[in-house]
Amino acid sequence: MKYFNVTMMDKGKKRRELIRAKDKMSAVKLAKQKFPQTLIVKSEETSAPAGETLGNIFQGFRKTFKTKVPIDDKISTIRQIAVMTNAGIAITDTLQDVAENTQNIQLKEIYTDIYNNINAGKSMSESMELYRNEFGHVALAMTKLGERTGKVSDSYYKLASILENIRNNTAKFKKAIRTPLITLAAMAIAFTILIMVVVPKFKDIFAKFKAELPVPTQILLMLEHAFSNYGLYLLAGLIAIIVALKYFYTNNEDFKYKIDKMMIHPYFYLINKAIFLSTMHKYNLVFSELVKAGIPVSEALNTAVGMVDNLAIKEQLLSVNANIGRGMNLAEAFEITGLYENMLLQMIRAGEAGGQLDSMLEKVTEYYDMQFQDLIDNLATYIEPIMLFFIAGLVLLMALGIFMPMWDLGKAVKGH
């Protein structure tokens, strides 16, 4: 939404009103509705009021650092709903019991509100719509399916399985990168300590050299000077950059799109592949499960694409539904995205032609899962050469920076 200064004539006098609208025409229309007795002269876009801007920034920070509902707690409550409704317990009694027994305060409030809304006459899917961000698109789709078929328990058993699959892959990926990240952090800390402790002991000796110091030594002295005099400022600046990046990534869609597109670029070794495979596995998993559950392909595509976090990949997948609306079949629409290998497209074509789309989509999902699992299982092997390269580089810099001037000094002494 934007802000506009709308100039109007009121009883022969000009006055301005600040109107919030999506565009200039909407601002004029709103002004006419709000002040029917005035004549609109012009509408000009302006900046938001200072208070509003600060409020938006504050809201942005709240959104950035808002605590998410743990997926384990969500799965636990969803399984509880499935078990209780399968036993024939009314959905209102089920939700009341779930709200009372869950240990998560946020979920307790959410399920209590859903329970109250259902008692007020709303459907379960309408009540959950208010918590789309907390539950996600697939939970809403499975809830609607349960309402449509009258089998909430079956839908929620399937939903729990989908969420468990996504959780397990996410946990496995985090576990795989934990060791390399800890190693990198330890290397950075050790290198910093060496520069702060070792380099100053040689600093006075280096200062007595009349000859120009070699480049590695100059780099070490420069780093030591920066860490000694501006260490806290550098640390604060690093934290500020990380917070700013997280803030803009969460609140600015254009910035998020650029970062997402950059992260799947071939230059980002391993990262691009991990993001692509995990995204495509999650997308195809949700899509195949929804199709298998009986949800129409168009609706299943919309729900599945809502699970995609990477905006660059999402942009390509959003074209699938539009192309199907123009008369293309699913395989053709997927082919245009450029995200699917020819083998997978042939499988989808065979599934469409033979009326076995759900089973073929399941095989596509298994293929992406297999590729992703292989990447995770061998991640340490892939990263090891990179880690060795960085360690060797830091050790070489430290060794050359310290010993090269010593060699020069030794040569000078021998020359005398």
Side-chain angles (χ1 to χ4, degrees), residues 77-263:
T77 56
I78 286 166
R79 281 216 175 273
Q80 191 177 343
I81 292 170
V83 170
M84 293 181 73
T85 52
N86 190 44
I89 300 172
I91 190 64
T92 49
D93 294 336
T94 297
L95 290 171
Q96 187 178 28
D97 189 71
V98 169
E100 287 174 357
N101 289 296
T102 183
Q103 299 299 309
N104 186 284
I105 302 299
Q106 196 174 351
L107 279 177
K108 189 183 289 289
E109 292 174 357
I110 289 171
Y111 280 117
T112 301
D113 190 47
I114 292 172
Y115 165 77
N116 292 331
N117 285 333
I118 290 174
N119 280 334
K122 288 185 177 181
S123 68
M124 189 172 176
S125 58
E126 288 174 334
S127 303
M128 286 186 70
E129 182 69 40
L130 300 170
Y131 301 101
R132 178 181 287 271
N133 291 334
E134 285 77 10
F135 285 104
H137 295 73
V138 69
L140 291 172
M142 296 307 285
T143 302
K144 289 176 183 176
L145 177 66
E147 289 177 333
R148 190 185 304 162
T149 60
K151 297 179 180 178
V152 173
S153 59
D154 291 349
S155 295
Y156 270 50
Y157 275 126
K158 182 59 70 178
L159 172 61
S161 297
I162 293 172
L163 293 179
E164 280 177 347
N165 197 309
I166 293 170
R167 177 200 63 189
N168 293 340
N169 275 345
T170 303
K172 195 170 183 180
F173 179 69
K174 287 180 178 178
K175 185 179 178 181
I177 64 170
R178 190 177 299 143
T179 302
L181 288 177
I182 291 172
T183 305
L184 281 173
M187 283 165 50
I189 292 169
F191 186 68
T192 303
I193 292 171
L194 283 172
I195 287 177
M196 297 290 289
V197 175
V198 176
V199 174
K201 295 185 182 300
F202 291 90
K203 196 173 181 180
D204 293 335
I205 299 173
F206 295 157
K208 295 176 182 177
F209 289 175
K210 294 179 181 179
E212 186 179 349
L213 294 171
V215 173
T217 308
Q218 292 180 33
I219 293 173
L220 287 180
L221 291 174
M222 182 181 67
L223 289 173
E224 188 276 332
H225 177 76
F227 291 162
S228 297
N229 296 282
Y230 309 105
L232 291 177
Y233 297 108
L234 291 171
L235 182 61
L238 180 63
I239 293 171
I241 289 169
I242 293 170
V243 170
L245 286 173
K246 188 173 182 181
Y247 173 84
F248 285 113
Y249 186 79
T250 306
N251 298 283
N252 188 305
E253 196 162 300
D254 290 336
F255 182 78
K256 176 174 166 52
Y257 175 81
K258 289 174 182 175
I259 296 295
D260 285 348
K261 192 170 184 178
M262 182 176 68
M263 295 305 287

Side-chain angles (χ1 to χ4, degrees), residues 367-378:
Y367 172 78
Y368 279 117
D369 188 40
M370 180 185 67
Q371 293 279 76
F372 182 71
Q373 298 301 331
D374 179 68
L375 177 69
I376 298 303
D377 291 339
N378 295 290

Side-chain angles (χ1 to χ4, degrees), residues 308-322:
V308 177
D309 298 320
N310 187 285
L311 292 184
I313 297 176
K314 189 174 188 175
E315 182 183 49
Q316 292 169 283
L317 291 171
L318 280 169
S319 67
V320 175
N321 221 350

